[in-house]
Amino acid sequence: MAKPASRQPRRKGAAPAAGPRRASVAPLLLSIAVGLMVVFSFATVLLLIFGMLPTIVAFIIDRTPSKYSAYCVGGMNVSGVFPYVLELWNTGNNFAVAKHILTDVFALAVMYGASGFGWMVYLAVPPVVGAFLTVMAQRRVALLRTTQRNLIEEWGEDVANPMSELRRK
Amino acid sequence: MAEEAPVPLDDEVDEDEEEGRQPSQVGPRTPAVLFDRYHVNADAPLTGLDSPSARAYAVTDRRDPGRKLFALVCMPGLPTRTTVMSILKAEQPRGVLPLVEWGTVFWPPLGQACMAVVYERPAGGRLSEAFAQERINEFDVPRRIIEPVVQALHELSGRGVAHRAIRLNNLFFMDAGRQVLVLGDCVTAPPGFDQPLVYESLPRALAAAGGRGVGDMGDDTYALGVTVVSLLLGREPAARVGPDDLLVAKVEQGTYAALCGNERLPMSMIEPLRGLLHDDDNERWRLEQLDLWLSGRRMTPSGKRAVPRADTPMNFAGRNHLTARTLAWFLCRNVADGARVIRGGHVETWVRRSLNNADLADQIAEAVEAAEAHENDYMGSNDYLVTKIAILLDPRAPITYRGMSFMLEGFGAAVAVERLRRDDVQIPGEFIARGFATIWLDAQTGPKMGFANLERIFAQLRAYLQIQDPGYGIERCLYELNPSLPCQSPLVIRDYVIDLADLLPALDEAANRVDARTKPVDRHIAAFIAAHFSQDVDAHLKAAASDDEAESVIAMLSLLASLQLRYKTPGVLGLASWIGGLLGPAIGTYHNRATRREIEREIPRLVRQGGLTEMFDLIENTEKRRRDEHGFRTAVAEFAAADAEIQEVESGDVARSETGERQGQQAAAMTSVVIALIVVSVVIMVEIM
């Protein structure tokens, strides 16, 4: 037999029991992972933090829930940063190499240039897609109007105004 | 009494007008041909055999050229007795002029078709001509005159026919020796129409010639009595007396006294003449009494008066009236004065005091009160009041309304004659609508044989009159009352159509001479079809009356196609072409343009075949109509859906722009991520290798 307390209805507006638990676990896990990485691979973390700055900025300034700009900039930014991360790991993964990379103008230009390209993609693609959709819609309207013209040609004007036919009857 | 003037039967017509209509028969003085056998020669009139309503012409029988025949060509527009014609032709009763053939024939002198009745030519001529110079011996009368006529009447009576045209100049000798006496023509005019006033019994004599009614054997024996008096006197009795005086004398003195009172007649003939000329229909001698008299039995006819006499006369219209019958008759002939004396109570007072008939006086007073209560409608009019009072005064007499006088049973012929004389049927229409028939039937006393039938007929006529659509109205009444009346439509009147089977050929001919925009079914044709067609055509008539041109034309086509199917009429090319030209609105009822084009392509082919049924099937094919309706509904739905989609697309520009941006961002993000994955993969692979 269940205990009386367990039979009490959940309060209106209260979040499900699993919700807050999942929301609180992810940042915790992330914090633990970052903490472990700082402890065991400080140089990598440093490189990623400075290399991925455009992505972090994009994530912060994109107020939409889907965060497409962050994905767009982030994707390109990763492409720019990952070769240097690999170089860091291949050369001992120490702070000196990380400092060397971060002070190399060319390396910074590659990382930030890649993220800039990401921004350009993010800004250029939506208008192109919009224009494409408009053309498609216009083509559909033209097709429908042709269909209507054919119907009138085959069935007469009454097909466009059936009420006049009913009135005549 | 106003006698109708016969329409001349040999008027010349414009030859050009005739040309092109009936090439095989048209042309001045071309013999008209009846059933491809009897040539009626308009160049050979036989005036000695004329009847008052039909003229006689020589006839040649193609199969037996030596046969002596003549034809009576009837007056167009006058109803004939086609039922009697059929009986006389089929059964050839003895003692009646042998009727050889009858039918419609194109009559060149009139430029139109007429009814022609072919008889054997009587070799001995008319009885009146035989005794024109000398009086007949009184002892010859029973055997040479009365006996053959009685035998002939027996023959007719056995077939349910009243002759109604027995008179001195309508008895013929078939043989040159003048021994075989026969009754002459009786079918070329309505019953009693050709009879001089003196030969008509009371009260039929008070009716106009067209409204004397079918009558019965009593009317024939009465006419026989007058014929015998004429023979004995060597002239028609009362020939110098005016019609009004003759009728008043007949009513007030009785026919025998009026015709024979001052004449010297053989004693042996007084008894049968008193019996034959008795004014009371129940007392008059009929065939049974004549048979007994001819076999030698002597009888004394009763001296009972037919109508009661008043103690003191009532002076009206310059005459002193001793009977309600003459007063009623003169009231109807002087409506304004009549209404004045009726409303003044003089008639009621005279009936109460002089005729000693309080019941009738009360009815008159009641009718006057009713008229005063309805002074603003027709029931308060002089015409209505006088006719109603006349019916009350003399219920057995003919009804007289606005100058039209007829026995109720003779109303049909009276309407036809009224139309022929005045080309107007307003008065008969008013008569039916105002319920005079009911008033007359209610006023009857004594035996009411056949009255239920009359009541039913007039109730039906009132119903027809209340509907104004084609196929009803006064035209329908006209044809219901006169089955032998030719269709009076201007389109086919020249073709003398009395049989529905002849209507389509007549319309086919008419197609060549009428405006193609004219509809082939007018009010007369619709009424003629409705009255003669055995099938129920009410639905067709209702549709034909529709304001919708297409529905009306389809209904007309349907009606005519039904006729073609029923009578198996061969192709009517002219009519088909005529109707084909009117089918535009009907074709337009199909929505599908391809179907319309297909019908328009088919019509000329069907016109060439002259098939109305096929044409109707083409226009009003159920399956085709169903498919068209279904297709149209689908097309309407498809059009509406397309319209809605266009609206949706055109009104969704802003939303589409937002959608486009969002989808662009998604695409950009996806592209970026994919590039990242590729780059990472490539870099890793390079490092590994």
Side-chain angles (χ1 to χ4, degrees), chain A residues 13-53:
Chain A
R21 229 180 288 145
R22 265 203 302 269
S24 58
V25 166
L28 181 66
L29 289 176
L30 191 64
S31 303
I32 292 168
V34 170
L36 288 173
M37 279 184 73
V38 168
V39 172
F40 293 103
S41 183
F42 177 72
T44 301
V45 171
L46 191 69
L47 181 61
L48 285 176
I49 287 172
F50 281 98
M52 297 292 286
L53 264 177

Tab-separated table of all heavy atoms in Angstrom, chain A residues 13-53:
chain	number	residue	atom	x	y	z
A	13	GLY	N	2.085	23.925	-11.898
A	13	GLY	CA	3.213	24.737	-12.340
A	13	GLY	C	4.552	24.188	-11.896
A	13	GLY	O	5.585	24.651	-12.339
A	14	ALA	N	4.531	23.185	-11.085
A	14	ALA	CA	5.813	22.616	-10.634
A	14	ALA	C	6.449	21.828	-11.753
A	14	ALA	O	5.770	21.134	-12.487
A	14	ALA	CB	5.581	21.706	-9.439
A	15	ALA	N	7.747	21.930	-11.918
A	15	ALA	CA	8.452	21.224	-12.982
A	15	ALA	C	8.504	19.751	-12.651
A	15	ALA	O	8.479	19.369	-11.480
A	15	ALA	CB	9.859	21.780	-13.104
A	16	PRO	N	8.563	18.925	-13.715
A	16	PRO	CA	8.687	17.497	-13.427
A	16	PRO	C	9.960	17.222	-12.649
A	16	PRO	O	10.937	17.962	-12.769
A	16	PRO	CB	8.755	16.859	-14.817
A	16	PRO	CG	8.354	17.908	-15.787
A	16	PRO	CD	8.512	19.209	-15.118
A	17	ALA	N	9.981	16.156	-11.933
A	17	ALA	CA	11.109	15.851	-11.030
A	17	ALA	C	12.426	15.700	-11.778
A	17	ALA	O	13.459	16.140	-11.341
A	17	ALA	CB	10.795	14.572	-10.261
A	18	ALA	N	12.361	15.086	-13.034
A	18	ALA	CA	13.598	14.853	-13.786
A	18	ALA	C	14.165	16.126	-14.378
A	18	ALA	O	15.362	16.230	-14.569
A	18	ALA	CB	13.306	13.857	-14.902
A	19	GLY	N	13.332	17.128	-14.655
A	19	GLY	CA	13.736	18.371	-15.325
A	19	GLY	C	14.859	19.087	-14.601
A	19	GLY	O	15.973	19.183	-15.110
A	20	PRO	N	14.645	19.555	-13.411
A	20	PRO	CA	15.665	20.316	-12.707
A	20	PRO	C	16.928	19.495	-12.515
A	20	PRO	O	18.038	20.021	-12.579
A	20	PRO	CB	15.025	20.653	-11.362
A	20	PRO	CG	13.590	20.299	-11.466
A	20	PRO	CD	13.412	19.440	-12.649
A	21	ARG	N	16.712	18.160	-12.378
A	21	ARG	CA	17.882	17.324	-12.162
A	21	ARG	C	18.764	17.340	-13.406
A	21	ARG	O	19.945	17.529	-13.345
A	21	ARG	CB	17.430	15.895	-11.838
A	21	ARG	CG	18.134	15.330	-10.607
A	21	ARG	CD	17.654	13.925	-10.331
A	21	ARG	NE	16.303	13.938	-9.819
A	21	ARG	CZ	15.412	13.013	-10.079
A	21	ARG	NH1	15.715	12.017	-10.875
A	21	ARG	NH2	14.224	13.081	-9.556
A	22	ARG	N	18.119	17.215	-14.637
A	22	ARG	CA	18.897	17.222	-15.881
A	22	ARG	C	19.540	18.586	-16.107
A	22	ARG	O	20.692	18.687	-16.485
A	22	ARG	CB	17.989	16.891	-17.069
A	22	ARG	CG	18.027	15.424	-17.397
A	22	ARG	CD	17.607	15.233	-18.843
A	22	ARG	NE	16.294	15.768	-19.107
A	22	ARG	CZ	15.159	15.072	-19.000
A	22	ARG	NH1	15.200	13.802	-18.601
A	22	ARG	NH2	14.010	15.628	-19.262
A	23	ALA	N	18.817	19.663	-15.828
A	23	ALA	CA	19.330	21.012	-16.038
A	23	ALA	C	20.527	21.294	-15.117
A	23	ALA	O	21.454	21.991	-15.492
A	23	ALA	CB	18.212	22.011	-15.781
A	24	SER	N	20.512	20.740	-13.982
A	24	SER	CA	21.591	21.043	-13.046
A	24	SER	C	22.811	20.132	-13.267
A	24	SER	O	23.910	20.489	-12.942
A	24	SER	CB	21.092	20.897	-11.597
A	24	SER	OG	20.615	19.591	-11.422
A	25	VAL	N	22.550	18.987	-13.937
A	25	VAL	CA	23.648	18.029	-14.143
A	25	VAL	C	24.579	18.490	-15.258
A	25	VAL	O	25.793	18.419	-15.130
A	25	VAL	CB	23.066	16.630	-14.433
A	25	VAL	CG1	24.139	15.695	-14.996
A	25	VAL	CG2	22.504	16.045	-13.157
A	26	ALA	N	24.008	19.015	-16.374
A	26	ALA	CA	24.837	19.365	-17.539
A	26	ALA	C	25.904	20.418	-17.207
A	26	ALA	O	27.096	20.189	-17.475
A	26	ALA	CB	23.942	19.844	-18.670
A	27	PRO	N	25.522	21.569	-16.602
A	27	PRO	CA	26.561	22.549	-16.271
A	27	PRO	C	27.583	21.962	-15.280
A	27	PRO	O	28.780	22.248	-15.367
A	27	PRO	CB	25.788	23.695	-15.624
A	27	PRO	CG	24.385	23.503	-16.049
A	27	PRO	CD	24.197	22.046	-16.279
A	28	LEU	N	27.064	21.110	-14.427
A	28	LEU	CA	27.954	20.517	-13.431
A	28	LEU	C	29.001	19.633	-14.128
A	28	LEU	O	30.207	19.742	-13.855
A	28	LEU	CB	27.112	19.693	-12.441
A	28	LEU	CG	27.886	19.007	-11.311
A	28	LEU	CD1	28.511	20.061	-10.379
A	28	LEU	CD2	27.002	18.071	-10.510
A	29	LEU	N	28.479	18.795	-15.048
A	29	LEU	CA	29.392	17.910	-15.775
A	29	LEU	C	30.385	18.734	-16.591
A	29	LEU	O	31.573	18.412	-16.670
A	29	LEU	CB	28.601	16.976	-16.696
A	29	LEU	CG	27.785	15.878	-15.983
A	29	LEU	CD1	26.961	15.083	-17.005
A	29	LEU	CD2	28.719	14.925	-15.240
A	30	LEU	N	29.809	19.832	-17.248
A	30	LEU	CA	30.679	20.697	-18.062
A	30	LEU	C	31.766	21.332	-17.187
A	30	LEU	O	32.955	21.387	-17.551
A	30	LEU	CB	29.825	21.774	-18.739
A	30	LEU	CG	30.516	22.590	-19.824
A	30	LEU	CD1	30.899	21.669	-21.000
A	30	LEU	CD2	29.656	23.727	-20.316
A	31	SER	N	31.348	21.788	-16.039
A	31	SER	CA	32.298	22.443	-15.124
A	31	SER	C	33.378	21.435	-14.682
A	31	SER	O	34.579	21.750	-14.653
A	31	SER	CB	31.566	22.954	-13.864
A	31	SER	OG	30.538	23.817	-14.283
A	32	ILE	N	32.936	20.218	-14.386
A	32	ILE	CA	33.890	19.183	-13.965
A	32	ILE	C	34.869	18.894	-15.103
A	32	ILE	O	36.088	18.814	-14.906
A	32	ILE	CB	33.138	17.901	-13.538
A	32	ILE	CG1	32.349	18.154	-12.251
A	32	ILE	CG2	34.117	16.718	-13.337
A	32	ILE	CD1	31.356	17.074	-11.878
A	33	ALA	N	34.285	18.785	-16.359
A	33	ALA	CA	35.148	18.473	-17.522
A	33	ALA	C	36.168	19.587	-17.740
A	33	ALA	O	37.366	19.323	-17.944
A	33	ALA	CB	34.270	18.303	-18.765
A	34	VAL	N	35.658	20.862	-17.684
A	34	VAL	CA	36.562	22.019	-17.887
A	34	VAL	C	37.618	22.021	-16.776
A	34	VAL	O	38.824	22.243	-17.013
A	34	VAL	CB	35.766	23.338	-17.916
A	34	VAL	CG1	36.693	24.551	-17.885
A	34	VAL	CG2	34.891	23.366	-19.181
A	35	GLY	N	37.168	21.778	-15.562
A	35	GLY	CA	38.102	21.765	-14.420
A	35	GLY	C	39.196	20.710	-14.618
A	35	GLY	O	40.388	20.975	-14.423
A	36	LEU	N	38.757	19.497	-15.048
A	36	LEU	CA	39.729	18.426	-15.268
A	36	LEU	C	40.689	18.804	-16.386
A	36	LEU	O	41.899	18.550	-16.321
A	36	LEU	CB	38.996	17.120	-15.620
A	36	LEU	CG	38.259	16.462	-14.429
A	36	LEU	CD1	37.413	15.280	-14.905
A	36	LEU	CD2	39.263	15.991	-13.381
A	37	MET	N	40.100	19.407	-17.467
A	37	MET	CA	40.943	19.803	-18.602
A	37	MET	C	41.953	20.873	-18.187
A	37	MET	O	43.118	20.853	-18.603
A	37	MET	CB	40.069	20.344	-19.740
A	37	MET	CG	39.457	19.229	-20.567
A	37	MET	SD	38.558	19.878	-21.949
A	37	MET	CE	39.902	20.393	-22.996
A	38	VAL	N	41.485	21.822	-17.343
A	38	VAL	CA	42.414	22.871	-16.871
A	38	VAL	C	43.548	22.233	-16.071
A	38	VAL	O	44.707	22.592	-16.210
A	38	VAL	CB	41.642	23.918	-16.026
A	38	VAL	CG1	42.593	24.852	-15.289
A	38	VAL	CG2	40.717	24.720	-16.926
A	39	VAL	N	43.169	21.226	-15.276
A	39	VAL	CA	44.177	20.583	-14.436
A	39	VAL	C	45.149	19.775	-15.294
A	39	VAL	O	46.348	19.873	-15.156
A	39	VAL	CB	43.478	19.692	-13.378
A	39	VAL	CG1	44.515	18.841	-12.612
A	39	VAL	CG2	42.686	20.558	-12.432
A	40	PHE	N	44.573	18.947	-16.223
A	40	PHE	CA	45.438	18.030	-16.965
A	40	PHE	C	45.913	18.585	-18.298
A	40	PHE	O	46.889	18.094	-18.842
A	40	PHE	CB	44.676	16.701	-17.211
A	40	PHE	CG	44.410	15.944	-15.953
A	40	PHE	CD1	43.155	15.932	-15.362
A	40	PHE	CD2	45.454	15.263	-15.269
A	40	PHE	CE1	42.918	15.256	-14.189
A	40	PHE	CE2	45.196	14.581	-14.077
A	40	PHE	CZ	43.916	14.574	-13.525
A	41	SER	N	45.182	19.576	-18.951
A	41	SER	CA	45.622	20.092	-20.245
A	41	SER	C	45.352	21.585	-20.306
A	41	SER	O	44.526	22.070	-21.102
A	41	SER	CB	44.867	19.365	-21.372
A	41	SER	OG	45.314	19.793	-22.605
A	42	PHE	N	46.068	22.303	-19.520
A	42	PHE	CA	45.816	23.741	-19.424
A	42	PHE	C	46.107	24.440	-20.737
A	42	PHE	O	45.400	25.347	-21.154
A	42	PHE	CB	46.678	24.320	-18.280
A	42	PHE	CG	46.538	25.805	-18.144
A	42	PHE	CD1	45.360	26.359	-17.626
A	42	PHE	CD2	47.578	26.655	-18.537
A	42	PHE	CE1	45.264	27.725	-17.514
A	42	PHE	CE2	47.431	28.031	-18.434
A	42	PHE	CZ	46.272	28.570	-17.908
A	43	ALA	N	47.149	23.964	-21.442
A	43	ALA	CA	47.555	24.610	-22.703
A	43	ALA	C	46.431	24.490	-23.747
A	43	ALA	O	46.115	25.442	-24.459
A	43	ALA	CB	48.818	23.950	-23.239
A	44	THR	N	45.814	23.321	-23.838
A	44	THR	CA	44.729	23.108	-24.818
A	44	THR	C	43.554	24.020	-24.507
A	44	THR	O	42.976	24.650	-25.386
A	44	THR	CB	44.255	21.637	-24.803
A	44	THR	OG1	45.386	20.811	-25.111
A	44	THR	CG2	43.152	21.391	-25.807
A	45	VAL	N	43.249	24.078	-23.206
A	45	VAL	CA	42.109	24.922	-22.802
A	45	VAL	C	42.391	26.375	-23.156
A	45	VAL	O	41.524	27.091	-23.681
A	45	VAL	CB	41.830	24.761	-21.293
A	45	VAL	CG1	40.809	25.768	-20.814
A	45	VAL	CG2	41.354	23.351	-21.003
A	46	LEU	N	43.608	26.764	-22.920
A	46	LEU	CA	43.973	28.159	-23.193
A	46	LEU	C	43.831	28.459	-24.683
A	46	LEU	O	43.254	29.488	-25.078
A	46	LEU	CB	45.427	28.396	-22.745
A	46	LEU	CG	45.896	29.850	-22.711
A	46	LEU	CD1	45.164	30.598	-21.587
A	46	LEU	CD2	47.406	29.923	-22.454
A	47	LEU	N	44.351	27.507	-25.500
A	47	LEU	CA	44.282	27.698	-26.949
A	47	LEU	C	42.823	27.742	-27.421
A	47	LEU	O	42.432	28.590	-28.246
A	47	LEU	CB	45.028	26.562	-27.662
A	47	LEU	CG	45.060	26.631	-29.195
A	47	LEU	CD1	45.769	27.909	-29.667
A	47	LEU	CD2	45.762	25.428	-29.775
A	48	LEU	N	42.047	26.838	-26.870
A	48	LEU	CA	40.632	26.805	-27.286
A	48	LEU	C	39.900	28.072	-26.865
A	48	LEU	O	39.082	28.607	-27.620
A	48	LEU	CB	39.931	25.566	-26.686
A	48	LEU	CG	40.266	24.217	-27.345
A	48	LEU	CD1	39.594	23.061	-26.589
A	48	LEU	CD2	39.791	24.209	-28.791
A	49	ILE	N	40.181	28.527	-25.633
A	49	ILE	CA	39.461	29.721	-25.157
A	49	ILE	C	39.786	30.919	-26.035
A	49	ILE	O	38.902	31.621	-26.502
A	49	ILE	CB	39.798	30.002	-23.676
A	49	ILE	CG1	39.086	28.955	-22.806
A	49	ILE	CG2	39.363	31.401	-23.260
A	49	ILE	CD1	39.497	28.994	-21.337
A	50	PHE	N	41.074	31.104	-26.317
A	50	PHE	CA	41.418	32.272	-27.144
A	50	PHE	C	41.068	32.065	-28.611
A	50	PHE	O	40.639	32.995	-29.276
A	50	PHE	CB	42.924	32.592	-26.961
A	50	PHE	CG	43.191	33.325	-25.674
A	50	PHE	CD1	43.631	32.651	-24.535
A	50	PHE	CD2	42.989	34.706	-25.596
A	50	PHE	CE1	43.841	33.316	-23.360
A	50	PHE	CE2	43.228	35.350	-24.397
A	50	PHE	CZ	43.649	34.675	-23.267
A	51	GLY	N	41.279	30.824	-29.088
A	51	GLY	CA	40.992	30.553	-30.516
A	51	GLY	C	39.504	30.614	-30.819
A	51	GLY	O	39.088	30.993	-31.907
A	52	MET	N	38.688	30.185	-29.852
A	52	MET	CA	37.233	30.107	-30.106
A	52	MET	C	36.489	31.350	-29.637
A	52	MET	O	35.255	31.331	-29.531
A	52	MET	CB	36.653	28.870	-29.395
A	52	MET	CG	37.211	27.546	-29.891
A	52	MET	SD	36.704	27.154	-31.576
A	52	MET	CE	35.013	26.699	-31.304
A	53	LEU	N	37.247	32.426	-29.346
A	53	LEU	CA	36.578	33.652	-28.858
A	53	LEU	C	35.440	34.119	-29.780
A	53	LEU	O	34.356	34.478	-29.299
A	53	LEU	CB	37.631	34.759	-28.705
A	53	LEU	CG	38.196	34.921	-27.288
A	53	LEU	CD1	39.278	35.991	-27.261
A	53	LEU	CD2	37.111	35.241	-26.283
